[in-house]
Short mmCIF file of all heavy atoms in Angstrom, two decimals:
data_model
loop_
_atom_site.label_atom_id
_atom_site.label_comp_id
_atom_site.label_asym_id
_atom_site.label_seq_id
_atom_site.Cartn_x
_atom_site.Cartn_y
_atom_site.Cartn_z
N THR A 1 -13.38 8.13 -80.83
CA THR A 1 -13.81 7.02 -81.66
C THR A 1 -13.02 5.74 -81.38
O THR A 1 -13.32 4.69 -81.93
CB THR A 1 -13.64 7.37 -83.16
OG1 THR A 1 -12.25 7.61 -83.44
CG2 THR A 1 -14.45 8.61 -83.50
N GLY A 2 -12.00 5.84 -80.52
CA GLY A 2 -11.15 4.70 -80.24
C GLY A 2 -9.99 4.57 -81.20
O GLY A 2 -9.15 3.66 -81.05
N GLN A 3 -9.90 5.44 -82.20
CA GLN A 3 -8.82 5.41 -83.17
C GLN A 3 -7.52 5.86 -82.52
O GLN A 3 -7.47 6.90 -81.87
CB GLN A 3 -9.15 6.31 -84.36
CG GLN A 3 -8.07 6.39 -85.41
CD GLN A 3 -7.84 5.06 -86.09
OE1 GLN A 3 -8.80 4.33 -86.35
NE2 GLN A 3 -6.60 4.73 -86.38
N GLN A 4 -6.46 5.08 -82.70
CA GLN A 4 -5.16 5.41 -82.11
C GLN A 4 -4.27 6.09 -83.11
O GLN A 4 -4.21 5.70 -84.28
CB GLN A 4 -4.49 4.14 -81.58
CG GLN A 4 -3.19 4.40 -80.84
CD GLN A 4 -2.70 3.19 -80.09
OE1 GLN A 4 -3.17 2.90 -79.00
NE2 GLN A 4 -1.76 2.47 -80.67
N SER A 5 -3.56 7.13 -82.67
CA SER A 5 -2.65 7.89 -83.52
C SER A 5 -1.26 7.91 -82.92
O SER A 5 -1.10 7.87 -81.70
CB SER A 5 -3.15 9.33 -83.69
OG SER A 5 -4.43 9.36 -84.29
N ASP A 6 -0.25 7.95 -83.80
CA ASP A 6 1.13 8.12 -83.37
C ASP A 6 1.42 9.60 -83.16
O ASP A 6 0.93 10.45 -83.91
CB ASP A 6 2.09 7.55 -84.40
CG ASP A 6 1.97 6.04 -84.53
OD1 ASP A 6 1.71 5.38 -83.51
OD2 ASP A 6 2.11 5.53 -85.66
N VAL A 7 2.22 9.92 -82.17
CA VAL A 7 2.60 11.29 -81.87
C VAL A 7 4.13 11.40 -81.98
O VAL A 7 4.85 10.65 -81.33
CB VAL A 7 2.15 11.72 -80.45
CG1 VAL A 7 2.57 13.15 -80.16
CG2 VAL A 7 0.65 11.56 -80.30
N LYS A 8 4.60 12.34 -82.79
CA LYS A 8 6.04 12.58 -82.93
C LYS A 8 6.29 14.07 -83.07
O LYS A 8 5.49 14.78 -83.68
CB LYS A 8 6.60 11.86 -84.15
CG LYS A 8 6.57 10.34 -84.06
CD LYS A 8 7.20 9.71 -85.30
CE LYS A 8 7.17 8.19 -85.18
NZ LYS A 8 7.79 7.55 -86.37
N GLY A 9 7.39 14.55 -82.52
CA GLY A 9 7.71 15.96 -82.63
C GLY A 9 8.91 16.34 -81.79
O GLY A 9 9.72 15.50 -81.40
N PHE A 10 9.01 17.62 -81.48
CA PHE A 10 10.12 18.13 -80.67
C PHE A 10 9.62 19.23 -79.76
O PHE A 10 8.53 19.78 -79.92
CB PHE A 10 11.25 18.65 -81.56
CG PHE A 10 10.93 19.95 -82.25
CD1 PHE A 10 11.26 21.16 -81.66
CD2 PHE A 10 10.28 19.96 -83.47
CE1 PHE A 10 10.96 22.37 -82.28
CE2 PHE A 10 9.96 21.17 -84.10
CZ PHE A 10 10.30 22.36 -83.50
N GLN A 11 10.48 19.56 -78.80
CA GLN A 11 10.13 20.57 -77.80
C GLN A 11 11.38 21.34 -77.42
O GLN A 11 12.46 20.75 -77.28
CB GLN A 11 9.55 19.86 -76.57
CG GLN A 11 9.19 20.75 -75.41
CD GLN A 11 8.81 19.92 -74.19
OE1 GLN A 11 9.58 19.83 -73.25
NE2 GLN A 11 7.65 19.29 -74.23
N THR A 12 11.26 22.65 -77.26
CA THR A 12 12.37 23.49 -76.79
C THR A 12 11.90 24.28 -75.58
O THR A 12 10.76 24.75 -75.53
CB THR A 12 12.86 24.46 -77.88
OG1 THR A 12 11.78 25.32 -78.27
CG2 THR A 12 13.36 23.69 -79.09
N ASN A 13 12.78 24.42 -74.61
CA ASN A 13 12.47 25.14 -73.38
C ASN A 13 13.64 26.04 -72.99
O ASN A 13 14.79 25.76 -73.34
CB ASN A 13 12.23 24.18 -72.22
CG ASN A 13 11.13 23.18 -72.49
OD1 ASN A 13 9.96 23.47 -72.32
ND2 ASN A 13 11.53 21.97 -72.91
N LEU A 14 13.32 27.09 -72.27
CA LEU A 14 14.34 27.91 -71.63
C LEU A 14 13.87 28.21 -70.22
O LEU A 14 12.87 28.89 -70.01
CB LEU A 14 14.58 29.22 -72.38
CG LEU A 14 15.66 30.12 -71.78
CD1 LEU A 14 17.03 29.44 -71.89
CD2 LEU A 14 15.69 31.48 -72.47
N PHE A 15 14.57 27.65 -69.24
CA PHE A 15 14.24 27.88 -67.84
C PHE A 15 15.16 28.98 -67.31
O PHE A 15 16.38 28.82 -67.33
CB PHE A 15 14.43 26.60 -67.03
CG PHE A 15 13.73 25.41 -67.59
CD1 PHE A 15 14.45 24.37 -68.14
CD2 PHE A 15 12.35 25.33 -67.58
CE1 PHE A 15 13.81 23.26 -68.66
CE2 PHE A 15 11.69 24.23 -68.10
CZ PHE A 15 12.43 23.19 -68.65
N ALA A 16 14.60 30.06 -66.84
CA ALA A 16 15.39 31.17 -66.31
C ALA A 16 14.90 31.51 -64.91
O ALA A 16 13.68 31.58 -64.66
CB ALA A 16 15.27 32.40 -67.22
N SER A 17 15.83 31.71 -63.98
CA SER A 17 15.47 32.07 -62.61
C SER A 17 16.37 33.18 -62.11
O SER A 17 17.56 33.23 -62.43
CB SER A 17 15.59 30.85 -61.69
OG SER A 17 16.94 30.42 -61.60
N TYR A 18 15.79 34.06 -61.31
CA TYR A 18 16.53 35.19 -60.75
C TYR A 18 16.27 35.24 -59.25
O TYR A 18 15.13 35.34 -58.80
CB TYR A 18 16.11 36.50 -61.39
CG TYR A 18 16.84 37.70 -60.84
CD1 TYR A 18 18.13 38.00 -61.26
CD2 TYR A 18 16.24 38.53 -59.88
CE1 TYR A 18 18.82 39.10 -60.74
CE2 TYR A 18 16.91 39.62 -59.36
CZ TYR A 18 18.20 39.91 -59.80
OH TYR A 18 18.87 40.98 -59.28
N ALA A 19 17.35 35.16 -58.46
CA ALA A 19 17.24 35.22 -57.00
C ALA A 19 17.24 36.68 -56.55
O ALA A 19 18.24 37.37 -56.69
CB ALA A 19 18.39 34.46 -56.35
N ILE A 20 16.11 37.14 -56.03
CA ILE A 20 16.03 38.50 -55.50
C ILE A 20 16.88 38.62 -54.24
O ILE A 20 17.65 39.56 -54.07
CB ILE A 20 14.56 38.87 -55.21
CG1 ILE A 20 13.73 38.77 -56.49
CG2 ILE A 20 14.46 40.27 -54.61
CD1 ILE A 20 12.24 38.95 -56.26
N ASN A 21 16.75 37.62 -53.37
CA ASN A 21 17.58 37.47 -52.18
C ASN A 21 17.48 36.00 -51.77
O ASN A 21 16.98 35.18 -52.55
CB ASN A 21 17.15 38.42 -51.04
CG ASN A 21 15.65 38.35 -50.79
OD1 ASN A 21 15.10 37.25 -50.65
ND2 ASN A 21 14.99 39.50 -50.74
N ASP A 22 17.96 35.64 -50.57
CA ASP A 22 17.92 34.24 -50.19
C ASP A 22 16.54 33.77 -49.75
O ASP A 22 16.38 32.60 -49.36
CB ASP A 22 18.95 33.95 -49.10
CG ASP A 22 18.63 34.70 -47.79
OD1 ASP A 22 17.70 35.54 -47.80
OD2 ASP A 22 19.33 34.45 -46.79
N SER A 23 15.54 34.66 -49.83
CA SER A 23 14.19 34.29 -49.39
C SER A 23 13.13 34.50 -50.46
O SER A 23 11.94 34.26 -50.20
CB SER A 23 13.80 35.08 -48.13
OG SER A 23 14.67 34.78 -47.06
N SER A 24 13.50 34.93 -51.67
CA SER A 24 12.51 35.16 -52.73
C SER A 24 13.18 35.09 -54.09
O SER A 24 14.38 35.31 -54.23
CB SER A 24 11.81 36.51 -52.55
OG SER A 24 12.75 37.56 -52.57
N TYR A 25 12.38 34.78 -55.10
CA TYR A 25 12.89 34.63 -56.46
C TYR A 25 11.77 34.88 -57.46
O TYR A 25 10.57 34.86 -57.12
CB TYR A 25 13.46 33.22 -56.67
CG TYR A 25 12.43 32.12 -56.56
CD1 TYR A 25 11.71 31.67 -57.68
CD2 TYR A 25 12.14 31.52 -55.34
CE1 TYR A 25 10.76 30.67 -57.58
CE2 TYR A 25 11.20 30.52 -55.23
CZ TYR A 25 10.51 30.09 -56.36
OH TYR A 25 9.56 29.11 -56.25
N ILE A 26 12.16 35.11 -58.71
CA ILE A 26 11.21 35.16 -59.81
C ILE A 26 11.70 34.19 -60.89
O ILE A 26 12.88 33.87 -60.97
CB ILE A 26 11.07 36.59 -60.39
CG1 ILE A 26 12.42 37.13 -60.86
CG2 ILE A 26 10.42 37.52 -59.40
CD1 ILE A 26 12.33 38.50 -61.51
N LEU A 27 10.77 33.71 -61.71
CA LEU A 27 11.14 32.76 -62.75
C LEU A 27 10.42 33.10 -64.05
O LEU A 27 9.35 33.70 -64.07
CB LEU A 27 10.82 31.33 -62.32
CG LEU A 27 9.38 30.95 -61.95
CD1 LEU A 27 8.57 30.55 -63.18
CD2 LEU A 27 9.37 29.81 -60.94
N LEU A 28 11.04 32.69 -65.15
CA LEU A 28 10.49 32.85 -66.49
C LEU A 28 10.79 31.58 -67.28
O LEU A 28 11.96 31.17 -67.37
CB LEU A 28 11.11 34.06 -67.19
CG LEU A 28 10.69 34.28 -68.66
CD1 LEU A 28 9.22 34.65 -68.74
CD2 LEU A 28 11.56 35.36 -69.30
N GLN A 29 9.75 30.94 -67.83
CA GLN A 29 9.93 29.65 -68.50
C GLN A 29 9.12 29.60 -69.80
O GLN A 29 7.97 29.16 -69.81
CB GLN A 29 9.51 28.51 -67.57
CG GLN A 29 10.36 28.43 -66.30
CD GLN A 29 9.89 27.36 -65.35
OE1 GLN A 29 8.81 26.79 -65.49
NE2 GLN A 29 10.70 27.06 -64.34
N PRO A 30 9.69 30.05 -70.92
CA PRO A 30 9.01 29.90 -72.22
C PRO A 30 9.24 28.50 -72.80
O PRO A 30 10.29 27.88 -72.56
CB PRO A 30 9.67 30.97 -73.08
CG PRO A 30 11.03 31.14 -72.49
CD PRO A 30 10.91 30.86 -71.02
N GLN A 31 8.26 28.03 -73.58
CA GLN A 31 8.35 26.71 -74.19
C GLN A 31 7.65 26.71 -75.54
O GLN A 31 6.60 27.35 -75.71
CB GLN A 31 7.69 25.66 -73.29
CG GLN A 31 7.67 24.25 -73.87
CD GLN A 31 6.74 23.32 -73.12
OE1 GLN A 31 5.54 23.32 -73.33
NE2 GLN A 31 7.30 22.54 -72.20
N PHE A 32 8.24 26.01 -76.49
CA PHE A 32 7.58 25.79 -77.78
C PHE A 32 7.65 24.31 -78.12
O PHE A 32 8.69 23.67 -77.97
CB PHE A 32 8.26 26.59 -78.90
CG PHE A 32 7.65 26.32 -80.26
CD1 PHE A 32 6.42 26.87 -80.61
CD2 PHE A 32 8.29 25.49 -81.17
CE1 PHE A 32 5.85 26.61 -81.84
CE2 PHE A 32 7.73 25.22 -82.41
CZ PHE A 32 6.51 25.79 -82.75
N GLN A 33 6.51 23.78 -78.58
CA GLN A 33 6.44 22.36 -78.94
C GLN A 33 5.70 22.20 -80.26
O GLN A 33 4.69 22.87 -80.51
CB GLN A 33 5.72 21.56 -77.86
CG GLN A 33 5.56 20.08 -78.21
CD GLN A 33 4.89 19.31 -77.11
OE1 GLN A 33 5.54 18.82 -76.19
NE2 GLN A 33 3.57 19.22 -77.16
#
C-alpha cells in the first residue's frame, strides 16, 4: 500500500565450526531474531 513502518528489534547468533582436517569442515549456525 506504500505505507512505511519502523523496524526495531534484536538478533542473537552462534557461529560454530569444526575442522575435520585441513581440507574439510562442518559448520552449525543457529540464529534467533
Side-chain angles (χ1 to χ4, degrees):
T1 62
Q3 178 65 39
Q4 184 168 280
S5 300
D6 294 325
V7 180
K8 293 182 179 180
F10 72 92
Q11 177 188 107
T12 60
N13 303 277
L14 181 65
F15 308 111
S17 65
Y18 180 79
I20 301 173
N21 49 50
D22 64 352
S23 298
S24 59
Y25 64 90
I26 57 177
L27 59 86
L28 175 68
Q29 298 176 348
Q31 177 193 81
F32 177 76
Q33 178 178 272

